[in-house]
Amino acid sequence: MKITHIKMEKLTTGRRRRWALTSLLFSTFFFVPYFLYPSFANIGNIAIGCAVYACFIIAYLGAIHSGNDQVHWSVLAIVLIAGAGMSINPASLILFGYPAFIVAYHYKGTVSLCWITFILLIQLVSSYMGDLWTPIFVLIPLISILGMAAFGLMERRESLHRLAESKSEAQLKQISAIAERERISRDLHDLVGHSLSSIALKAELAEKLLFRDQTEKARQELSELAQLSRSVLSDIRHAVSDIKQKDLASELTRLEGELSRQGFEVTAEWRLPRLSADRESTLVMIAKELVTNILRHSNGQSVRLNITHTDNNLRMEVGDDGECKNMDFGNGLNGIVERLNFFGGNMDVTQNEGLQMTITLPLE
């Protein structure tokens, strides 16, 4: 599936946020001249340089928090700030790479090329007007701009690929849901149709026998009718239980996909026993809460999601490899503990090479 006409996600979406913010560390090279050339580091130059850098930070934060329809204003501001800064501090050349990355990520084809050409032109004009027309002040920004643009393009292609996978997955889920509904319809028809017909016939027969005062035969038919009804009810309960069990499996699959789309390497394996409706809903809630916490707070790279069971207990392990110095129980985790206590279960938390939550739930 090829997707080209798309409103790209903001650079603060998902795990891109970390890169977008940590990349600002490279911009601190802006202050190198103030340390290398003491004569350059007078109060006036430092104050002006700090003002320029602060304006850059504001414009950059605006860019990574903007969508396609607004990002161009922030990009234009960064380019003009970097160009103006060249006359104050030669190290401003490092700032030109940031707008190149942003436009290559947000825009495609001709629009992206025009923006990058504009950035290069402003950089060259700024170098010339600032009397910095030397190979080092021309080639280094040129390499930086083109390199960052290439990186932005790769990020764009990866995002498009993930979106295509997401849409394909959604279509497959829709097809699977339709097929599942048809299967359920067939199963219920095969399961209930013949039995209900038999129940109706036996009820009619019992009525006729009672009308003829054949009480003993009518009692026998009613007994068989009651037994058949109980059998049908049991079959329906098992069928409904199987349907609900697939809902839990579908939720786990969805959570695994969500983690993968956010950039985590997911190791997932589960074997699900037959669960009562209340235990199943509890596990669905727990899985959602634990995965949501990882998506919101984890700084790790990989996630483990494993479920095993014995005849008596189910064990769910959800963990990541991120750093966690302080573990505070909020409403979500406290709610998990309360629900587990109701069933006699428990939750263990370990912080060895990452954070791991281990859920133990009795099956009976």
Side-chain angles (χ1 to χ4, degrees), residues 68-334:
N68 290 40
D69 52 347
Q70 295 293 330
V71 72
H72 56 277
W73 294 112
S74 298
V75 170
L76 180 61
I78 296 174
V79 175
L80 296 180
I81 289 169
M86 290 285 287
S87 61
I88 302 167
N89 182 351
S92 295
L93 60 86
I94 198 168
L95 305 181
F96 283 102
Y98 290 89
F101 168 79
I102 293 169
V103 297
Y105 172 78
H106 277 283
Y107 301 118
K108 64 171 185 173
T110 304
V111 177
S112 179
L113 182 61
C114 289
W115 266 110
I116 294 171
T117 302
F118 171 73
I119 295 170
L120 286 169
L121 180 63
I122 295 297
Q123 185 271 319
L124 293 173
V125 170
S126 300
S127 296
Y128 179 78
M129 295 183 65
D131 199 20
L132 300 172
W133 196 254
T134 60
I136 189 172
F137 284 105
V138 173
L139 293 179
I140 291 180
L142 176 64
I143 294 172
S144 173
I145 291 171
L146 295 180
M148 292 293 285
F151 183 64
L153 180 60
M154 287 189 293
E155 282 291 316
R156 176 182 177 84
R157 288 179 176 175
E158 182 180 354
S159 296
L160 292 173
H161 177 69
R162 288 183 179 179
L163 181 62
E165 286 184 338
S166 177
K167 289 196 172 183
S168 296
E169 182 181 346
Q171 290 176 348
L172 287 174
K173 285 183 177 180
Q174 184 178 8
I175 294 172
S176 298
I178 294 173
E180 183 66 10
R181 285 196 294 268
E182 292 177 350
R183 184 194 69 80
I184 292 171
S185 176
R186 289 193 301 269
D187 288 352
L188 289 176
H189 178 271
D190 295 339
L191 179 68
V192 179
H194 175 72
S195 298
L196 290 180
S197 298
S198 299
I199 289 173
L201 289 174
K202 285 186 173 296
E204 291 175 0
L205 179 57
E207 182 182 14
K208 291 179 180 178
L209 291 173
L210 288 173
F211 182 76
R212 297 173 183 172
D213 293 330
Q214 298 178 359
T215 308
E216 189 62 31
K217 291 184 178 180
R219 184 181 294 112
Q220 182 179 353
E221 291 296 330
L222 290 173
S223 177
E224 293 178 1
L225 176 61
Q227 183 178 356
L228 181 58
S229 299
R230 286 192 293 270
S231 176
V232 172
L233 181 58
S234 177
D235 290 340
I236 291 176
R237 284 175 175 170
H238 284 305
V240 171
S241 177
D242 290 341
I243 293 170
K244 289 183 177 179
Q245 182 63 48
K246 291 178 181 178
D247 288 341
L248 175 58
S250 298
E251 181 63 21
L252 292 172
T253 301
R254 186 190 70 79
L255 292 172
E256 181 184 355
E258 181 64 19
L259 287 166
S260 297
R261 284 191 292 275
Q262 295 300 326
F264 289 95
E265 296 179 4
V266 183
T267 303
E269 182 178 0
W270 57 75
R271 295 186 297 110
L272 302 179
R274 176 167 292 177
L275 297 167
S276 61
D278 51 355
R279 281 175 169 79
E280 182 187 20
S281 62
T282 296
L283 287 172
V284 169
M285 185 280 296
I286 291 173
K288 285 181 179 179
E289 180 64 26
L290 296 182
V291 171
T292 299
N293 283 341
I294 291 175
L295 291 172
R296 289 179 178 175
H297 307 299
S298 175
N299 59 359
Q301 304 292 326
S302 62
V303 175
R304 303 175 301 280
L305 175 57
N306 298 320
I307 299 178
T308 57
H309 69 89
T310 62
D311 291 338
N312 300 319
N313 293 297
L314 178 142
R315 179 184 177 93
M316 175 190 290
E317 298 177 349
V318 180
D320 68 318
D321 61 349
E323 296 181 0
C324 182
K325 297 181 180 179
N326 297 314
M327 180 65 188
D328 295 325
F329 272 55
N331 292 331
L333 294 180
N334 285 326

